[in-house]
Amino acid sequence: MSVRIRMMLPLVVVLAAVVGYPLAYSFYLSLTDYKITSRGDVAFRGLEQYDNALNDPDYVQALLTTGTFVVSAVVLELAIGMLLALALQQQRWVRNLSRSFLLAPMFITPIAVGLMFRFLLNSQLGAIPSLLNGLGVSMDFFGSGTALWTIVAIDVWQWTPFMMLMLLAGLEGLPKQPFEAARVDGASALFTFRKVTIPLLRPVIVVAVLIRSLDALKVFEYVYATTRGGPGTETQTIQYLIYNTGITFFRLASASAMAYLLLAAVVVLAVLLFARIRRGGVL
Amino acid sequence: MKNRTVRRTVAVTAAVAALSLTAACSGGKGAPGSETPSGDGDVSSNVEGTVRVLMEGVPDTDIVEGMIGEFNEQYPNVKVQIETAVYDQMRDKYVASFTAPESSYDLAIIDNPWMGDFAKAGFLTPLDSYIESTSGYDYEDFAEPLRQINEVDGKTYGIPFYNYGLGLIYRTDLLSAAPSTLDELVAAAQENTTDTRAGIAMQPQRGYKAFEEWANFLFAAGGSIYDDEGNLSLDTPEAKEALETYIELYETAAPASSLNWAFDEALRSVSSDKAAMMVSYNWMLPTLNADDSPAGDLAGKFALATMPGGKQVLGSWSWAIPSNSETDDADWAFISWLTSADGEKQRVEAGGAPVRQSVLTDPQVAAQGFGADYYATVGDILANSAPLCQGANCDEMIQAVGTELSAAVSGQKSVADALSAAQEQATRIQSS
């Protein structure tokens, strides 16, 4: 065995134990009818659980809800993050103070953020509805039609700083010459931003959006802390549905199949995106 | 249970080894205290063992904890250790303990929707032989609907501990009498709706809460969750009437923006003079009327009534012995002592929710506790009530029905669509 392979062995062993085994075991579970309360008699069911998941309107609905959540949250985070990054780049005084201040939300654990907003937005106790009431506005943040957007807003509050951090790092690493050339040619600020900043920053934007999207797909804590998927199924995201199916309803086989389908979709999307980026010479 | 003989051998060997090393070996798993369950209800007072219990962190648990000292006067060698958790964590902790080779808990309190699944999965020990052989226990004294919850396939797996029967809590200074029909309830709620106060605080939160509240309306409209043959009957004219009334009540007399409300919010609303009524657990009444009531000056102005129509939703906690517990006799010693007529009387006098008929009619309890009227109403509630679910996959069934109801209340689905979906899903879930 070459030294190289031997040096890799610990990593391979650790990965096999902590990633490989759970993955393989949950794949096996997804092919059976395993339920926590009927451990004794597990029957092999082939792809039945996958078929059930794909034909389950709740599963499809949860995928759509999660998709809506991810797209709206990430787009908003990108836009606001970009504005903040541009502003911070221009800042000359107390730069470090304002940066650390803006980064604070990122360091709070998501379940705490969920609980915090549950109380802040509570129609009886919350500071925000109370302020709005003072202005004559009455709004149910977790009501029908608004609950999903409330959760999007919570995500935006917590994760815009991440976007801002990535973009700011990107902005500060850009070469100076193209900007000087644009200034010499008399280009407007907006024109420079569209034609110079954005194209140069594209690799950073793509990576930031990709990381944030994959992370946003995992949304669970906000839903668990605030709406529990309601009203109706309006905020039932895919992770919450899988949690409910597997942990609350004991149907681990079905939950494993749902999770595997999601994993497959994410892997295909990620591979396609990376391939495209590489072809386009972005990465 | 199968491994018990092997375990006993191991335990005895271990015990001898341990004893030879130290004399200060305490009871518990694998220690001298563990023994084969006798199934004999009259447990000898020198039984040994450590009984580890997981309970919900609520005042009733404190009452039980406070009684352990007295229990130890009779059973000095049984150590009862109570661990508390919030409700959301309890079932997960139990399932982890029940499925593990070595249990973490020797005694469990089981919420009624869990009973069917846990008993069928073999997680719990049948208690019939213990119940039958305990002298003077009077098992029939427990309210019948509570006993039925614990009967699975003809065997009894739990002893009623705590009731979650629902009732109507209303303000006596605003309403002269409790409404006795659904129409009267709607009318009373609408009449009492003002700019600053809602007629009734409701709990239409998706899942358990919406179903729990609406099912009382279903009973009042003459419907039932299961028909006489035990089939689900959620898509009936009565169910439609009940849901339409529920939605009307929500839209015309409930606080604004309360679509996601549950127990806490409704309680807060009633106790802060923002709502005149609520459907809630019967034991909320003493809390609201207490001297240190969350309602402050409003304390004393609340009354409890049975739901309009007289039948209500019942919930319960029951004591059960996990199959993988090794201290069954000590477990039973504790449960049978605590839930005996005397133990129950003492617990109820201290503020616990009653489950025995004799205690509800006991004059001493009425005098020491919250008054004869209150216990009479609780008796009526317990006498005519039914749980949300019976049989398999109850948690899932309750969530599914409650989600459909919430969709109808929030206007995402029509009443007819929501009920037919609820019926279809609940039937599929309970039969799979």
Side-chain angles (χ1 to χ4, degrees):
Chain A
M1 213 186 288
S2 76
V3 177
R4 228 170 152 188
I5 293 178
R6 264 185 290 163
M7 294 289 278
M8 261 174 61
L9 259 181
L11 176 71
V12 171
V13 169
V14 168
L15 275 182
V18 303
V19 181
Y21 174 73
L23 270 179
Y25 188 66
S26 58
F27 182 65
Y28 155 75
L29 285 184
S30 73
L31 302 176
T32 66
D33 62 354
Y34 186 97
K35 245 188 109 182
I36 297 175
T37 48
S38 58
R39 295 166 301 152
D41 41 5
V42 178
F44 189 78
R45 289 295 174 87
L47 295 176
E48 192 185 301
Q49 304 289 3
Y50 290 88
D51 191 41
N52 289 346
L54 289 172
N55 289 310
D56 179 356
D58 278 352
Y59 186 73
V60 178
Q61 180 63 44
L63 279 177
L64 289 174
T65 305
T66 312
T68 313
F69 170 83
V70 171
V71 171
S72 22
V74 173
V75 164
L76 280 171
E77 283 157 19
L78 178 64
I80 303 172
M82 180 68 89
L83 285 174
L84 287 173
L86 288 169
L88 283 177
Q89 198 198 8
Q90 306 298 324
Q91 195 185 10
R92 289 291 166 263
W93 301 96
V94 287
R95 289 167 65 125
N96 293 337
L97 184 73
S98 55
R99 283 178 196 195
S100 48
F101 191 72
L102 280 169
L103 288 180
M106 248 169 69
F107 303 122
I108 309 173
T109 163
I111 187 74
V113 170
L115 289 170
M116 189 175 87
F117 276 100
R118 173 172 143 197
F119 289 109
L120 275 178
L121 300 173
N122 184 295
S123 53
Q124 287 173 306
L125 302 169
I128 296 172
S130 153
L131 275 175
L132 288 175
N133 272 337
L135 300 171
V137 181
S138 167
M139 186 171 168
D140 182 4
F141 286 94
F142 299 115
S144 185
T146 48
L148 185 62
W149 304 114
T150 302
I151 292 174
V152 167
I154 297 175
D155 196 79
V156 169
W157 180 85
Q158 181 161 33
W159 294 111
T160 300
F162 170 81
M163 211 53 122
M164 180 194 83
L165 193 67
M166 297 280 284
L167 296 174
L168 186 60
L171 280 173
E172 301 204 323
L174 292 183
K176 297 274 181 292
Q177 296 90 334
F179 292 94
E180 280 163 11
R183 204 173 55 233
V184 170
D185 290 344
S188 72
L190 191 66
F191 188 86
T192 314
F193 178 70
R194 273 177 46 214
K195 296 290 176 186
V196 184
T197 316
I198 296 274
L200 284 174
L201 208 56
R202 223 179 98 198
V204 178
I205 295 176
V206 169
V207 171
V209 165
L210 202 66
I211 294 177
R212 196 67 271 288
S213 303
L214 288 176
D215 200 36
L217 261 176
K218 297 189 292 185
V219 61
F220 171 80
E221 293 92 339
Y222 309 141
V223 179
Y224 184 81
T226 58
T227 61
R228 304 254 159 154
T233 51
E234 269 185 40
T235 55
Q236 179 157 279
T237 62
I238 193 73
Q239 303 291 349
Y240 190 73
L241 178 70
I242 292 173
Y243 160 80
N244 247 351
T245 310
I247 308 297
T248 313
F249 306 149
F250 300 136
R251 299 184 190 276
L252 278 187
S254 172
S256 302
M258 287 177 176
Y260 255 92
L261 283 172
L262 179 69
L263 180 69
V266 171
V267 166
V268 167
L269 265 175
V271 165
L272 284 177
L273 256 171
F274 270 111
R276 214 193 136 104
I277 294 165
R278 194 162 288 170
R279 260 207 317 279
V282 174
L283 275 185
Chain B
M1 300 294 267
K2 273 179 263 165
N3 295 330
R4 209 150 247 161
T5 331
V6 181
R7 280 201 198 153
R8 196 183 172 200
T9 319
V10 174
V12 169
T13 320
V16 172
L19 275 175
S20 63
L21 288 171
T22 167
C25 185
S26 69
K29 194 174 293 301
S34 62
E35 49 188 80
T36 313
S38 63
D40 180 3
D42 288 327
V43 181
S44 148
S45 63
N46 52 27
V47 65
E48 291 179 21
T50 300
V51 177
R52 296 158 305 165
V53 198
L54 176 70
M55 294 179 76
E56 195 183 1
V58 291
D60 234 67
T61 299
D62 300 337
I63 296 174
V64 171
E65 206 152 23
M67 292 171 72
I68 294 173
E70 201 173 323
F71 166 73
N72 280 137
E73 285 172 17
Q74 201 170 332
Y75 292 96
N77 303 324
V78 176
K79 196 174 169 203
V80 181
Q81 288 178 342
I82 295 181
E83 177 188 331
T84 57
V86 295
Y87 178 79
D88 283 345
Q89 296 174 350
M90 288 182 65
R91 202 187 62 149
D92 296 352
K93 285 190 170 221
Y94 277 141
V95 172
S97 168
F98 296 163
T99 51
E102 286 221 340
S103 68
S104 313
Y105 306 110
D106 306 295
L107 194 54
I109 52 168
I110 307 291
D111 195 7
N112 56 314
W114 310 340
M115 188 51 88
D117 287 342
F118 285 1
K120 280 179 201 284
F123 291 162
L124 308 176
T125 305
L127 301 175
D128 302 81
S129 67
Y130 279 116
I131 293 169
E132 284 155 19
S133 58
T134 306
S135 319
Y137 189 57
D138 195 9
Y139 180 64
E140 305 294 308
D141 188 28
F142 290 108
E144 197 193 350
L146 289 168
R147 273 183 280 140
Q148 277 172 354
I149 288 173
N150 300 325
E151 277 171 29
V152 181
D153 298 334
K155 285 184 184 159
T156 304
Y157 289 90
I159 301 294
F161 160 49
Y162 190 79
N163 89 74
Y164 262 79
L166 289 162
L168 185 71
I169 290 178
Y170 65 97
R171 283 265 297 276
T172 47
D173 57 330
L174 300 172
L175 282 87
S176 52
S180 58
T181 63
L182 269 191
D183 289 343
E184 280 180 36
L185 175 70
V186 175
Q190 287 171 346
E191 276 164 27
N192 279 289
T193 302
T194 64
D195 289 345
T196 55
R197 191 191 296 124
I200 183 166
M202 293 172 73
Q203 304 171 32
Q205 190 186 63
R206 168 188 142 117
Y208 202 106
K209 284 290 147 195
F211 189 14
E212 188 182 47
E213 197 167 46
W214 169 78
N216 294 292
F217 287 55
L218 176 68
F219 296 152
S224 61
I225 297 167
Y226 297 92
D227 64 16
D228 293 340
E229 275 105 56
N231 299 314
L232 281 149
S233 60
L234 296 169
D235 192 10
T236 58
E238 292 83 8
K240 190 161 177 282
E241 186 198 330
L243 188 50
E244 281 166 353
T245 310
Y246 186 78
I247 294 173
E248 185 196 346
L249 195 61
Y250 175 72
E251 286 174 349
T252 57
S257 309
S258 60
L259 203 52
N260 206 30
W261 277 20
F263 174 74
D264 289 348
E265 287 89 353
L267 174 66
R268 210 176 291 128
S269 182
V270 166
S271 55
S272 61
D273 197 20
K274 294 278 168 52
M277 291 185 274
M278 69 171 168
V279 175
S280 196
Y281 306 113
N282 60 73
W283 42 257
M284 273 319 302
L285 186 77
T287 310
L288 281 167
N289 280 341
D291 291 338
D292 57 347
S293 161
D297 294 343
L298 293 176
K301 291 181 178 165
F302 297 96
L304 172 73
T306 53
M307 287 301 297
K311 185 177 177 183
Q312 39 269 313
V313 171
L314 178 69
S316 76
W317 285 104
S318 302
W319 292 105
I321 302 179
S323 305
N324 59 357
S325 163
E326 294 189 8
T327 51
D328 295 34
D329 284 352
D331 300 341
W332 179 255
F334 183 62
I335 315 179
S336 60
W337 177 84
L338 188 79
T339 61
S340 66
D342 285 345
E344 159 95 348
K345 195 170 154 182
Q346 198 180 329
R347 189 179 63 81
V348 172
E349 279 174 1
V355 284
R356 276 183 181 270
Q357 313 275 15
S358 62
V359 170
L360 286 164
T361 50
D362 190 300
Q364 198 187 328
V365 170
Q368 295 273 328
F370 309 117
D373 284 354
Y374 169 68
Y375 293 106
T377 312
V378 175
D380 291 344
I381 288 173
L382 292 184
N384 191 10
S385 53
L388 287 182
C389 172
Q390 287 154 351
N393 304 326
C394 277
D395 262 316
E396 189 173 3
M397 178 273 209
I398 290 169
Q399 288 295 335
V401 175
T403 300
E404 293 301 327
L405 295 172
S406 150
V409 180
S410 64
Q412 296 169 55
K413 275 193 178 176
S414 70
V415 166
D417 286 352
L419 288 175
S420 76
Q423 168 77 16
E424 185 270 319
Q425 287 189 41
T427 309
R428 178 175 50 78
I429 289 164
Q430 289 220 274
S431 60
S432 67

